[in-house]
Every structure is written in structure tokens, then in C-alpha cells.
Amino acid sequence: IIYNQIGWVNTPFPLMIPGMFGTATCVFFMRQFYLGIPTELIEAAKIDGMNYFSIFFKIMVPLSVPALLAQALLGFIGGYNDYLGPLIYLQDPELYTMQIAMNQLKSYFEGRDVPAMMAATVISIIPTIVLYIIAQKRFVEGVATSGMKV
């Protein structure tokens, strides 16, 4: 009702804007990640004369790049695989997401053209695979350094 009142129905805004503010799982995941960073790094930075903002931006943020990438990847996959949100907010077939289009393709073929469905499935996972391949180097780098990159 609120999205309809502000004119966001049949636009991509109800799908994008709420996800920009994070979820409880994202906050919990990042909290747990920051608790795993050794306090000796923060203490050493305080001894060197850094304030809290510079400690956060010069030490904590570079160390948290793998966790932020993991959250970005999980957020992308969650948004990309969302079926009910776009089904509720989008009425124009031009704006339908891949998952709605795949469901319509399945109902159109009614199980008769399995190769076409498999081809559509392979095409639909390409963005996720490409994003993972791009981010994989940072994931491995974050695991290998395990909080010792300063």
C-alpha cells in the first residue's frame, strides 16, 4: 500500500531501495567478523596516535573487504533469485525479472521442451558465476591473510 501511495508500483524501486539498508543477518555477520579481528591491531593503532575514524577507515575497512564482498554477493543472489517481490510490485512484462520469465517459459512449454528450459537455466546462472569469479580472488586473499593485512 505504501509503495502504491508513493508511486513505486511497477518500478524497480521497491526491489532495490529496501535492500540498500541491509538486513539483520548482514548486521550480525559483520558484527561477528569485526569481533574476530584481533584487538591488538586496534591497540597498536591507538598507540600510534590514530583516532577512531582513521582506525576504522584505514585498518578495519581494508580488513573487512572479504566480508563485505561476501555480503554483496549474498545480497545480489538474494535479490536476483527473488520471485515474490517482483511478482507483487511489477505488472509490466517489460520489467519482469529472470525468475518470473523462467516461470512463464516453464508454463508456456508445459514440460515439453526440456532443452529450452535447461538452456534458459544455464543462461540465468551466468551473472552469478561471473560475479563469483570476479570476487573469488578477494575471498581467497581474505582467508589467506586472516586479519594480518595492515
Side-chain angles (χ1 to χ4, degrees):
I1 294 172
I2 293 172
Y3 291 144
N4 192 25
Q5 289 176 349
I6 60 177
W8 281 8
V9 173
N10 209 25
T11 66
F13 293 127
L15 307 175
M16 296 184 313
I17 302 299
M20 296 170 106
F21 296 106
T23 61
T25 57
C26 178
V27 172
F28 180 73
F29 179 80
M30 292 306 296
R31 177 189 178 275
Q32 291 302 109
F33 180 82
Y34 284 130
L35 286 176
I37 293 177
T39 56
E40 289 83 11
L41 289 173
I42 298 168
E43 292 169 0
K46 285 180 185 176
I47 290 172
D48 288 343
M50 295 178 86
N51 60 17
Y52 287 110
F53 290 111
S54 58
I55 289 172
F56 181 73
F57 287 111
K58 292 183 180 179
I59 295 176
M60 302 298 270
V61 171
L63 286 175
S64 63
V65 167
L68 292 171
L69 279 174
Q71 281 302 309
L73 188 63
L74 291 172
F76 174 79
I77 291 171
Y80 188 72
N81 289 333
D82 189 16
Y83 178 75
L84 290 178
L87 194 61
I88 292 170
Y89 301 121
L90 304 177
Q91 285 90 34
D92 186 11
E94 297 278 326
L95 296 174
Y96 282 170
T97 61
M98 179 71 77
Q99 281 60 36
I100 295 175
M102 295 267 299
N103 191 32
Q104 287 183 344
L105 184 67
K106 181 185 75 163
S107 63
Y108 175 73
F109 286 125
E110 297 176 11
R112 292 176 291 187
D113 196 1
V114 175
M117 284 301 299
M118 292 300 112
T121 304
V122 169
I123 290 171
S124 73
I125 64 170
I126 288 174
T128 310
I129 291 172
V130 167
L131 191 63
Y132 177 74
I133 289 171
I134 291 170
Q136 183 182 12
K137 178 183 174 194
R138 288 294 206 161
F139 288 139
V140 172
E141 181 180 295
V143 170
T145 56
S146 67
M148 293 318 216
K149 181 173 64 174
V150 180

